[in-house]
Amino acid sequence: MVLRVHDLACSRGGLPVLEGVSFALAPGEVLMLRGPNGIGKTTLLRTVAGLQPPLAGRIEAAPDAIAYGAHADGLKSQLTVSENLAFWAGVYGNGDIAPALRAFDIEPLRDRLAQNLSAGQKRRLGLARLLVTGRPVWALDEPTVSLDAASVALFANAVRAHCGTGGAALIATHIDLGFTARDLDVTRFRAAVPKGDAAFDEAFL
């Protein structure tokens, strides 16, 4: 297994969101996080990726095994497409950005400033960063936002290729990406809301 989660509890804004979450992810596997908006999928991903501490439980993965993709594309607006990818490739010690450019069909845009890209092009560039991380586990939060059907297909192909070489993916999404995956509905792990907190703002859970 490349990732194991045991009896995990996580919170947002100091309030418990999910509790008792357990699952394992094997090489070559995709696990889809399902559930309504506000249930805690983003919070779970952020916790698994190490961006916030869990309230309880444990996460088992090799050091630096997880690459996290959030709602934001995380681009430097004054850098070109190729400069953005080269920056992240340098961070992760991977010098070759050509496969990432090809995988998301952004080779023709390589010399364009990120600030001049459309929303869909920015998303494709943001996702292309995953390919230069060299990390086996992709933890992705609504990765297909702003993508048209052709770009969703490019993303699905990238996930298939990643899993075909022993990688794995944990993806929060509401859509069918067209490949074999297990589903995990996180609704059943919803934590009890403390009395008096029923009106808690559930944005970005």
Side-chain angles (χ1 to χ4, degrees):
M1 294 295 172
V2 291
L3 174 66
R4 289 184 186 272
V5 171
H6 300 268
D7 203 24
L8 193 70
C10 46
S11 66
R12 176 71 181 180
L15 293 177
V17 175
L18 299 172
E19 57 189 5
V21 182
S22 296
F23 63 84
L25 197 56
E29 188 175 24
V30 179
L31 181 63
M32 299 289 199
L33 299 180
R34 306 291 192 182
N37 291 335
I39 197 64
K41 299 186 296 296
T42 294
T43 300
L44 177 57
L45 283 170
R46 287 178 54 82
T47 304
V48 169
L51 300 178
Q52 62 185 66
L55 291 176
R58 68 184 189 276
I59 301 158
E60 296 178 3
D64 298 323
I66 301 172
Y68 176 63
H71 291 127
D73 295 313
L75 306 177
K76 302 282 189 180
S77 62
Q78 295 299 316
L79 297 182
T80 65
V81 166
S82 59
E83 287 170 343
N84 266 282
L85 280 179
F87 169 80
W88 287 108
V91 169
Y92 291 105
N94 181 355
D96 188 7
I97 66 170
L101 289 167
R102 288 194 299 269
F104 286 92
D105 193 25
I106 51 178
E107 283 180 301
L109 305 171
R110 61 179 304 139
D111 296 322
R112 186 176 299 182
L113 291 176
Q115 67 182 7
N116 295 330
L117 300 175
S118 70
Q121 291 167 341
K122 288 178 181 177
R123 174 56 81 177
R124 279 154 53 200
L125 175 55
L127 291 170
R129 290 185 305 156
L130 295 167
L131 277 68
V132 303
T133 66
R135 296 190 172 186
V137 181
W138 293 354
L140 307 177
D141 193 2
E142 299 293 349
T144 59
V145 171
S146 300
L147 295 184
D148 58 20
S151 297
V152 170
L154 290 175
F155 167 71
N157 287 338
V159 173
R160 289 190 192 96
H162 176 64
C163 291
T165 57
L170 180 64
I171 305 174
T173 183
H174 294 286
I175 71 170
D176 180 5
L177 294 172
F179 48 68
T180 302
R182 286 193 296 127
D183 281 0
L184 179 65
D185 188 342
V186 301
T187 306
R188 62 192 176 101
F189 301 113
R190 185 169 192 166
V193 178
K195 202 167 186 179
D197 288 321
F200 175 65
D201 182 1
E202 293 182 330
F204 303 110
L205 292 182

